[in-house]
Amino acid sequence: MDFRDCYGRDPEGSWRAPGRVNLIGEHTDYNDGFVLPFALAQGVTVTAARRDDGVLELRSLQSPDALRVTDPEPGRVTGWAAYAAGVAWALRKAGYDVGGASILIDSDLPQGAGLSSSAALECAVALALCDLYGIEVPRPELARIAQRAENDFVGMPCGIMDQSASLLCTEGHALLLDCRSGLSAQVPLDLTGLSLLVIDTRAQHELVDGGYAARRAACEEAARLLGVPALRDVEDLAAALRALDDPVLRRRTQHVVTDDHRVQAAVGLLRAGAVAEVGALLTASHLSLRDQFEVSWPEADVAVEEAVRAGARGARMVGGGFGGSVIALVPADRAEGVRAAVTVAYADRGWEAPRFTDAVPSAGAHRVS
């Protein structure tokens, strides 16, 4: 089925936005910290044409639903369509005069795998609507508009990382993003002799179920008690931990502060060409996410343990947590062994077989036709 089959007319163009893997720096974005994502080759493609009546027609090749949205407002649109409708709403709220559109969505990103299919959808729709209506929006601002769609329309209090990665990443690089200033830098990610293996643990995650919001609220409370604007501003971690009476807030603070430092260490190693040495930072980040931030899950812990045992230089869960994927930095000649070891470990536990993808640092969102 193509656009003409759905809408009975030709499209005006197609736009594609990638998913992302965050190499390191998890739950640091909404703490005004640093992240280091890169774009995937997999993503979301939006094919679209203008409508002159202001209506948004939304269809997805991954869903049987066909929706017409006449007046997008928070709470009126749910499910996958909310991410698309929310972008139109956020663009209009930002003062951009975007009208209606017929939109067909296709994706080769697995939903619920923690690879940011939602941000890819938002960014593809944002590019499409801007191009259709001749609107020039700087990419960092467009990322903030897409983030607002997810925060205020969908109701998921994400940070700015996923939208920035989808819009700003370049091929062969990771994106060092300062989530406070919005400033970014491209960092070479040369995988010669190595593979970045994404392991979809097949444990679906839903970040709108409250666990993510609870972690964000805890971080904000810790920052308030410490008298800093955000946990990024903690300079003396030991003193901060002594000042917090609540053991949960201490654990959340320890993770955020140390993962911010791991991002900076990883950038130094990548710029020095010591990519394999980043592996130890990945594993340390996973242990912190498991023990201090408490967002890991059994399938991820097993995948990390088995990957490292089989020769990975390091591995960690990626995404917001509670399900999704693991990334492993693997010498190229060990990749098949890592795949086999994780697969056997899952089978031994009666779990659904994991899925594997070679993650190739790819280009950000763009018009494809």
Side-chain angles (χ1 to χ4, degrees):
M1 183 170 65
D2 61 14
F3 188 90
R4 175 169 278 279
D5 294 329
C6 291
Y7 296 116
R9 60 191 177 116
D10 291 329
E12 296 181 55
S14 294
W15 296 260
R16 184 169 175 82
R20 64 93 189 96
V21 164
N22 186 25
L23 187 63
I24 200 162
E26 213 67 80
H27 290 273
T28 52
D29 57 345
Y30 57 78
N31 287 290
D32 282 358
F34 299 91
V35 292
L36 192 62
F38 62 91
L40 294 168
Q42 297 79 11
V44 174
T45 300
V46 162
T47 305
R50 286 169 290 181
R51 291 179 60 95
D52 59 9
D53 57 4
V55 171
L56 284 177
E57 287 186 299
L58 301 171
R59 297 193 184 193
S60 169
L61 295 182
Q62 283 69 52
S63 171
D65 299 330
L67 297 130
R68 289 172 58 90
V69 181
T70 57
D71 186 18
E73 289 293 336
R76 294 182 182 175
V77 187
T78 59
W80 61 266
Y83 296 93
V87 170
W89 171 85
L91 281 165
R92 293 168 185 170
K93 289 293 185 182
Y96 294 106
D97 187 18
V98 297
S102 299
I103 295 174
L104 178 63
I105 298 159
D106 192 15
S107 175
D108 57 3
L109 274 172
Q111 293 185 3
L115 304 179
S116 199
S117 59
S118 60
L121 173 56
E122 292 157 4
C123 294
V125 170
L127 280 188
L129 291 175
C130 288
D131 277 4
L132 287 173
Y133 286 94
I135 296 168
E136 297 279 347
V137 183
R139 292 259 174 139
E141 181 183 351
L142 198 59
R144 290 191 293 272
I145 289 170
Q147 180 199 16
R148 184 181 181 188
E150 190 151 349
N151 289 174
D152 298 342
F153 196 94
V154 178
M156 216 300 277
C158 66
I160 192 66
M161 175 183 68
D162 294 347
Q163 294 81 6
S164 296
S166 191
L167 287 166
L168 300 177
C169 281
T170 61
E171 184 176 359
H173 293 78
L175 181 78
L176 173 61
L177 177 66
D178 180 336
C179 296
R180 170 171 287 165
S181 69
L183 296 176
S184 63
Q186 303 293 335
V187 181
L189 182 50
D190 181 1
L191 294 176
T192 302
L194 296 164
S195 174
L196 276 169
L197 189 63
V198 176
I199 306 168
D200 180 356
T201 69
R202 310 299 290 276
Q204 296 287 307
H205 78 158
E206 292 289 345
L207 294 185
V208 293
D209 67 359
Y212 184 100
R215 297 308 187 280
R216 181 166 185 164
C219 291
E220 291 170 351
E221 175 65 6
R224 185 188 68 80
L225 292 171
L226 292 170
V228 294
L231 290 183
R232 175 234 180 97
D233 299 296
V234 172
E235 296 181 353
D236 186 336
L237 178 59
L241 297 181
R242 288 194 299 269
L244 292 169
D245 295 327
D246 186 334
V248 172
L249 298 186
R250 288 200 296 269
R251 292 197 297 272
R252 305 298 184 254
T253 300
Q254 181 167 341
H255 166 73
V256 171
V257 174
T258 57
D259 229 35
D260 256 340
H261 285 287
R262 282 187 282 268
V263 172
Q264 300 292 353
V267 168
L269 290 170
L270 292 181
R271 286 176 170 161
V275 181
E277 305 310 314
V278 173
L281 297 174
L282 300 185
T283 303
S285 179
H286 181 78
L287 296 177
S288 179
L289 287 159
R290 185 192 70 186
D291 300 335
Q292 305 300 330
F293 222 68
E294 298 173 288
V295 292
S296 190
W297 61 102
E299 293 89 343
D301 297 336
V302 168
V304 168
E305 292 164 8
E306 294 299 329
V308 172
R309 185 176 290 119
R313 295 300 299 259
R316 74 175 192 91
M317 58 151 281
V318 294
F322 313 105
S325 295
V326 162
I327 188 170
L329 182 63
V330 186
D333 60 358
R334 299 287 186 93
E336 287 306 314
V338 168
R339 290 172 185 253
V342 175
T343 300
V344 168
Y346 273 45
D348 288 346
R349 290 163 174 81
W351 293 343
E352 188 174 2
R355 291 185 295 210
F356 301 92
T357 303
D358 287 314
V360 179
S362 300
H366 58 283
R367 184 168 184 157
V368 294
S369 66

